[in-house]
Amino acid sequence: SIRALHDRDGRDVAKVVSEQQILNDLFNEHFSHIAFDFLSSLRFGNGKWYFPGSRQRSTMKAPLLINNNYVSGVANKVARAKEWRHWFLNDDGSCNAPNERFSSAHSSVGAAHCT
């Protein structure tokens, strides 16, 4: 049971296990009664998709969603999403999401919706 982010020896758990393992443990402990399924890696990518020549990008031409990981810092994540036209929130808080599926030289991601 993960009650605090320190293990029995007082070590910082974040330096011992990944955040995904912590989330998995918490889910199993508190929500194991909920049915779930995994998202297809053919339609839902991770941050490796953004790297030039990535195998993921060559096999996933039009992902439904890309997890903006494999880059550190919120500002870097926002900058990368903007560079690829995957950022749809204007500075004033209004939404600039396309209403239909789009494809361009620098992007081929399904429509996004701000709520």
Side-chain angles (χ1 to χ4, degrees), residues 11-82:
R11 295 177 298 179
D12 183 349
V13 170
K15 295 178 182 173
V16 179
V17 297
S18 72
E19 65 183 29
Q20 186 62 57
Q21 184 60 50
I22 293 170
L23 288 172
N24 289 349
D25 291 348
L26 288 170
F27 181 86
N28 289 333
E29 182 178 342
H30 298 286
F31 303 104
S32 61
H33 61 283
I34 297 174
F36 69 94
D37 202 353
F38 294 98
L39 299 174
S40 168
S41 61
L42 298 175
R43 299 306 310 253
F44 299 88
N46 62 39
K48 290 180 182 179
W49 186 92
Y50 290 107
F51 295 119
S54 77
R55 185 169 47 119
Q56 188 177 105
R57 192 175 337 153
S58 67
T59 59
M60 186 185 314
K61 299 295 183 188
L64 294 174
L65 180 132
I66 301 170
N67 182 5
N68 196 356
N69 57 359
Y70 289 92
V71 65
S72 296
V74 174
N76 292 331
K77 292 175 188 286
V78 171
R80 180 167 71 177
K82 285 180 176 181

Side-chain angles (χ1 to χ4, degrees), residues 79-100:
R80 180 167 71 177
K82 285 180 176 181
E83 175 187 348
W84 284 86
R85 293 187 237 164
H86 296 163
W87 189 262
F88 306 110
L89 188 63
N90 295 321
D91 291 339
D92 66 1
S94 63
C95 183
N96 187 23
N99 290 325
E100 69 281 334

